[in-house]
Amino acid sequence: MTQQHTFDVVIVGAGGAGLRAALESSRRGRTAVITKLYPTRSHTGAAQGGMCAALANVEEDNWEWHTFDTIKGGDYLVDQDAAEIMCREAIEAAYDLEHMGMPFNRTPDGLIDQRRFGGHTHHHGAGPVRRSCFAADRTGHMILQTLFQQNVKQGTIFFDEFYVLDLLRAPDDGRAAGLVAYELATGELHVFRAKSVVFCTGGYGKMFKITSNAHALTGDGPGVCYRRGVPMEDMEFFQFHPTGLYRLGVLLSEAARGEGGILRNADGEAFMERYAPTIKDLAPRDMVSRAIYTEIREGRGAGPNGDYVYLDVSHLDPKVIDAKLPDITEFARTYLGVEPKKEGVPIVPTAHYAMGGIPTTVDAQVVGDAANTAIPGLFAAGECACVSVHGANRLGTNSLLDIVVFGKRAGVNAGDHAAQVDHAELGEDPAGAVTRMLEDLAGHPEGERAAAIRGDLQVNMDDRAGVYRTETLLKEMEVELGSLHERYARVWVQDTSRRYNTDLLEAVELGFLLDLAEALVVSARARTESRGGHFREDYPVRDDRNWLRHSLASRTASGVKLDYKPVTMTRYEPMERKY
Amino acid sequence: MQVTLRVRRFNPETDSESRIETYDVPADPMDRVLDLLHWVKWNVDGSLTFRRSCAHGICGSDAMLINGTNRLACKVLVREVGDQITVEPLRGLPVNKDLLVDMEPFFASYREVLPYLVNDDPAPDTERRQSPKDRGRFDDTTKCILCAACTTSCPVFWADKEYFGPAAIVDAHRFIFDSRDQGAAQRLTVLNDKEGVWRCRTTFNCTDACPRGIKVTQAIQEVKRALLFRKA
């Protein structure tokens, strides 16, 4: 049986963006937050190093420098108006969080303390600046907790462990009409009618094997939108964070290098000095990740197989490590048995962050084509969205900033929109498509499990669509994805129960990963240049003449169709990216 | 190496009571117990049900009873627990399916202690000032990830489900000792209830169980002292 609910606003996802949005929209209209995890399980909680805002609490700084860094860090694919808004509103966003109770570390004067972070500089690249506001190395945890606490205070309505599996759009004009969600506890479907729908579902790093991402990060939000005709913007830009724990990919924050940590190769050499002479280990992540792989490829990797390098914090004051980097040093102890106070920690780059996603305006309004035509009532914010403030490569700390700035804007605008319109009519049998999808998935005879197909997807994506890409590799990956999709059409769901059927949901999630991986690979193959996180060995140079534009991948019956739209420029001329 | 993994299973649709199933799992000493559960789910029985997300001890999804102790499955390595591993659901919360328990009673207690900053003064234009010392006062209890390992290790909670439990008190502590907060009196009144802090018998199970290393028992004692001080 399908249950029906009616709200003014429904928000999908309860990480930082969704929770920040809910605080605003629930003041403007009746709001529900639908989340497949309990809110505090969201991956915002895994963010470590901080949130940049040019508060200038410890040294001279201003938001214009932050804007410049964001645009340059993004290799000039950033929409400059959006970056200006984010960096200007960062200051108020940091104070807002503090007023909500966020336990930032403090300066001796009692101000919010700040530290260095990759790519963040003063005077347009002259040297590193202390801009990151932080709470030890659990800043994301504290932001997530603080926003959840405020939602508890405000009495926000949550539907916990509900998986959104479809977006309903009005049959006449395509505006958002609601959602279909699957309740984990019962296996029942719920139709949510809403005037505004806000996607805040995070990333999709689980298409890669070595990743910092949680198991839950399967791109359900973008996947649902993509299947309902929303193009995906800049999918080829995926960030590989330089310092993931060897073999596991668990993130070790850039804060380690912000506090003075150094990357070393097998010879003990601080190799970043060769790649970024000015800011060295604090170069943007795409550059550091490529530098690490270059060291490994050229035979300077450490370990029996020469396939990692070291993150070295052993020269730092042990008190600084305990006070400012307690969690990540514990990860090294727990998972690798390494004592960071005494020895280097084996690390490799790890798939970390999707710059691309659901295309939006600076008001978090989702747009449906290259002319930026709005899809009324549909909003998105956070990692699942592409504003684009991160362009081709996100700077560290700008993700936490993105979720609070654009999460707030999404909540305000979704709430205001809902106050001005009526509910759209739902089509005939709104849950029909999801019912058929689930019945089909559950009805396959015994055969290959989702886990086997997902495992092959992940290994192949690491090898063919990772830090280094070529036409040959990407073409191979396209063929591989065709075969993975064929296998998926027969995927076997062993658990036949109605209640708490996570086996079925893993199969559903894999479908979203496969669709998004295809959009990523097709977009990457078409982009014959190197920019930010997208590095083509066969086209190693940035090509502004042909490629200073955003890609838009649409799902059609005949495969992925690509379109392009210009980058919004204000006052920053593209120049060579040196650090 | 081979691990003998025993898992307490329960399917509400077919079982009247739980049973132990045994699996022989190929493992590396550096594998997480979560990896073993995934191996079973992904290779042997897709119906094995448990929560997990971040897989590195931050999200708090996968607290369970591992060889008789509450741990996060993603934070316990095979080398720590050996080749005979028994995994069961948390005690004291209703079991919904296999290792997945009903968290609602746990979150209900959490919500009751006003787990948010209370300060009705107009906010300044910039940050409220707080000295590093004042900030340090409640640092330990900000680490809580609401995994329920502490509360469900508490013998008082097992016997009396109305008891708030250690986690809710930890989250109250986090605000009671925050110099910016004005809700301490209200929170202490809640915790002075017969199901409040006085039920604690300082067994220290909670401190042992906390995967974040929070000194839970000490936090509870500090809340008790705050109540005594208030009465005086």
Side-chain angles (χ1 to χ4, degrees):
Chain A
M1 222 192 86
T2 305
Q3 296 190 39
Q4 298 254 4
H5 311 265
T6 302
F7 288 91
D8 294 320
V9 180
V10 286
I11 295 167
V12 190
L19 292 175
R20 188 67 190 83
L23 290 178
E24 299 300 331
S25 71
S26 57
R27 291 186 187 119
R28 291 166 172 81
R30 196 160 172 272
T31 298
V33 179
I34 308 174
T35 168
K36 74 174 182 178
L37 304 172
Y38 278 96
T40 58
R41 314 301 183 214
S42 303
H43 209 53
T44 296
Q48 297 163 358
M51 181 185 108
C52 272
L55 305 182
N57 278 358
V58 289
E59 61 184 319
E60 185 188 2
D61 197 9
N62 66 65
W63 66 263
E64 193 275 324
W65 293 345
H66 186 182
T67 307
F68 170 82
D69 291 337
T70 298
I71 292 166
K72 182 182 172 189
D75 223 350
Y76 294 91
L77 196 70
V78 173
D79 284 324
Q80 298 184 0
D81 57 336
E84 286 175 11
I85 285 170
M86 182 176 77
C87 298
R88 194 172 62 226
E89 294 183 5
I91 295 165
E92 186 190 315
Y95 294 143
D96 270 355
L97 283 170
E98 198 284 328
H99 296 158
M100 292 178 195
M102 172 80 186
F104 285 113
N105 279 40
R106 299 289 175 153
T107 68
D109 294 337
L111 300 173
I112 296 170
D113 199 4
Q114 300 189 271
R115 67 176 162 207
R116 292 173 174 173
F117 235 83
H120 290 278
T121 71
H122 61 84
H123 298 92
H124 308 106
V129 70
R130 295 177 199 277
R131 184 179 291 149
S132 170
C133 311
F134 63 98
D137 55 354
R138 55 177 185 280
T139 313
H141 164 77
M142 295 312 340
I143 289 179
L144 183 67
Q145 294 288 328
T146 300
L147 292 173
F148 180 61
Q149 290 154 5
Q150 290 297 309
N151 275 283
V152 169
K153 185 178 184 183
Q154 217 167 290
T156 300
I157 300 166
F158 286 100
F159 290 84
D160 296 329
E161 299 192 321
F162 277 59
Y163 288 62
V164 168
L165 299 184
D166 203 3
L167 165 67
L168 302 174
R169 298 181 64 177
D172 50 348
D173 59 0
R175 70 190 153 122
L179 295 162
V180 181
Y182 175 97
E183 182 181 5
L184 181 68
T186 60
E188 286 179 358
L189 295 181
H190 295 247
V191 171
F192 290 83
R193 285 186 80 192
K195 298 172 184 174
S196 294
V197 170
V198 189
F199 279 94
C200 302
T201 59
Y204 38 85
K206 274 291 160 184
M207 67 173 67
F208 296 95
K209 180 166 186 282
I210 302 294
T211 177
S212 64
N213 281 204
H215 287 285
L217 291 176
T218 51
D220 311 356
V224 158
C225 291
Y226 188 48
R227 289 179 186 176
R228 288 297 173 192
V230 180
M232 292 292 116
E233 181 174 351
D234 290 343
M235 290 296 281
E236 61 270 46
F237 297 100
F238 203 95
Q239 178 167 87
F240 297 86
H241 191 291
T243 55
L245 276 188
Y246 180 56
R247 290 195 307 139
L248 293 171
V250 171
L251 182 68
L252 296 185
S253 171
E254 206 166 291
R257 284 170 286 137
E259 297 291 350
I262 294 170
L263 292 168
R264 298 187 186 279
N265 59 25
D267 307 326
E269 183 204 5
F271 58 85
M272 280 312 299
E273 291 176 4
R274 278 187 276 117
Y275 297 88
T278 307
I279 62 175
K280 304 184 181 77
D281 292 276
L282 289 175
R285 291 172 176 176
D286 58 319
M287 298 175 81
V288 181
S289 286
R290 281 195 294 279
I292 291 169
Y293 272 129
T294 303
E295 292 299 299
I296 291 171
R297 281 176 163 201
E298 293 180 356
R300 294 185 292 277
N305 302 315
D307 57 352
Y308 57 80
V309 299
Y310 294 109
L311 173 63
D312 180 12
V313 295
S314 62
H315 55 288
L316 302 184
D317 181 347
K319 283 193 202 121
V320 169
I321 292 179
D322 289 339
K324 295 186 174 175
L325 306 169
D327 280 3
I328 61 171
T329 43
E330 184 175 316
F331 296 154
R333 286 179 203 118
T334 302
Y335 297 114
L336 295 184
V338 166
E339 176 46 63
K341 287 178 183 167
K342 295 190 181 137
E343 55 193 323
V345 181
I347 57 97
V348 286
T350 181
H352 184 54
Y353 187 88
M355 272 74 74
I358 304 164
T360 73
T361 68
V362 294
D363 293 319
Q365 167 71 60
V366 175
V367 293
D369 56 30
N372 287 329
T373 308
I375 300 175
L378 189 58
F379 302 84
E383 186 175 350
C384 74
C386 181
V387 182
S388 148
V389 282
H390 308 306
N393 171 63
R394 175 175 69 74
L395 286 191
T397 75
N398 274 354
S399 57
L400 289 176
L401 180 57
D402 178 0
I403 61 179
V404 290
V405 168
F406 292 101
K408 179 178 180 181
R409 285 175 160 253
V412 169
N413 291 308
D416 288 348
H417 174 80
Q420 291 160 17
V421 299
D422 294 324
H423 283 94
E425 286 304 312
L426 299 179
E428 195 83 355
D429 189 18
V434 173
T435 305
R436 284 188 294 278
M437 173 179 75
L438 296 177
E439 282 175 358
D440 176 58
L441 275 174
H444 297 158
E446 180 167 346
E448 194 175 31
R449 298 166 197 271
I453 302 169
R454 187 178 57 224
D456 285 349
L457 168 71
Q458 292 169 337
V459 169
N460 278 286
M461 288 295 286
D462 276 14
D463 291 348
R464 298 193 162 86
V467 172
Y468 286 109
R469 299 166 173 175
T470 66
E471 163 70 16
T472 309
L473 290 173
L474 292 165
K475 195 172 170 186
E476 285 171 4
M477 192 63 219
E478 274 187 33
V479 174
E480 181 64 34
L481 277 164
S483 129
L484 290 165
H485 266 113
E486 281 172 25
R487 289 161 61 186
Y488 181 69
R490 299 186 299 273
V491 67
W492 176 45
V493 176
Q494 185 177 10
D495 191 349
T496 55
S497 51
R498 296 270 302 166
R499 302 184 56 192
Y500 299 99
N501 192 335
T502 53
D503 199 26
L504 175 64
L505 287 163
E506 281 193 36
V508 172
E509 291 170 331
L510 173 59
F512 293 130
L513 284 177
L514 286 169
D515 285 359
L516 297 175
E518 185 177 51
L520 186 155
V521 170
V522 170
S523 303
R525 196 178 157 204
R527 187 175 283 271
T528 50
E529 66 155 354
S530 290
R531 182 187 297 273
H534 172 69
F535 192 85
R536 290 281 302 256
E537 289 193 271
D538 42 357
Y539 299 92
V541 180
R542 195 177 83 197
D543 175 4
D544 286 336
R545 177 188 292 233
N546 292 304
W547 288 107
L548 186 55
R549 52 186 183 157
H550 299 293
S551 64
L552 291 170
S554 299
R555 191 168 177 265
T556 73
S558 55
V560 180
K561 184 177 145 288
L562 291 175
D563 199 356
Y564 294 92
K565 66 178 184 181
V567 174
T568 306
M569 312 289 276
T570 56
R571 53 179 153 162
Y572 301 95
E573 278 295 311
M575 53 183 199
E576 195 189 347
R577 205 165 58 123
K578 278 190 190 161
Y579 287 91
Chain B
M1 67 185 283
Q2 285 290 123
V3 167
T4 304
L5 181 69
R6 295 184 188 82
V7 183
R8 185 167 293 283
R9 304 285 311 265
F10 173 71
N11 182 342
E13 292 172 28
T14 54
D15 303 340
S16 53
E17 52 191 72
S18 69
R19 66 190 189 283
I20 292 277
E21 294 255 355
T22 304
Y23 308 91
D24 291 320
V25 184
D28 184 278
M30 296 303 281
D31 282 343
R32 299 162 274 205
V33 171
L34 178 63
D35 296 323
L36 309 187
L37 293 171
H38 271 146
W39 188 88
V40 173
K41 184 173 182 66
W42 295 342
N43 294 283
V44 180
D45 185 353
S47 74
L48 177 61
T49 302
F50 48 91
R51 292 192 181 94
R52 86 286 186 265
S53 190
C54 79
H56 65 285
I58 288 297
C59 78
S61 297
D62 63 349
M64 47 190 82
L65 196 62
I66 298 172
N67 285 356
T69 309
N70 278 0
R71 311 288 295 270
L72 298 180
C74 63
K75 226 178 161 180
V76 180
L77 303 192
V78 170
R79 64 172 185 172
E80 298 167 50
V81 283
D83 60 2
Q84 304 291 316
I85 302 174
T86 303
V87 183
E88 299 169 90
L90 294 174
R91 286 175 287 200
L93 292 170
V95 177
N96 285 331
K97 186 176 177 182
D98 294 341
L99 303 169
L100 190 148
V101 297
D102 179 5
M103 295 292 288
E104 189 43 40
F106 173 81
F107 280 110
S109 290
Y110 167 80
R111 285 191 293 266
E112 278 192 60
V113 300
L114 292 78
Y116 41 78
L117 188 81
V118 176
N119 185 327
D120 295 330
D121 295 343
D125 290 340
T126 64
E127 64 267 67
R128 294 191 177 98
R129 299 258 178 149
Q130 182 170 52
S131 72
K133 185 162 171 268
D134 285 345
R135 165 64 181 77
R137 181 67 189 85
F138 63 100
D139 187 65
D140 200 38
T141 45
T142 66
K143 295 173 185 164
C144 175
I145 56 175
L146 297 169
C147 68
C150 60
T151 294
T152 60
S153 74
C154 174
V156 179
F157 177 76
W158 298 336
D160 174 10
K161 300 293 169 11
E162 299 302 309
Y163 172 45
F164 283 97
I169 302 171
V170 160
D171 281 273
H173 177 284
R174 178 253 170 274
F175 289 102
I176 290 168
F177 293 96
D178 186 331
S179 59
R180 300 168 296 174
D181 183 80
Q182 302 168 344
Q186 223 178 326
R187 245 176 246 115
L188 287 169
T189 300
V190 172
L191 291 171
N192 200 26
D193 181 89
K194 68 179 170 61
E195 303 298 349
V197 289
W198 305 112
R199 304 294 319 248
C200 170
R201 290 289 172 267
T202 53
T203 318
F204 281 93
N205 280 19
C206 50
T207 302
D208 293 340
C210 179
R212 302 284 292 147
I214 299 170
K215 297 182 188 78
V216 181
T217 313
Q218 183 180 321
I220 297 172
Q221 293 302 101
E222 288 175 2
V223 172
K224 286 181 185 171
R225 273 205 296 277
L227 267 168
L228 289 171
F229 180 73
R230 186 181 72 149
K231 280 180 172 172

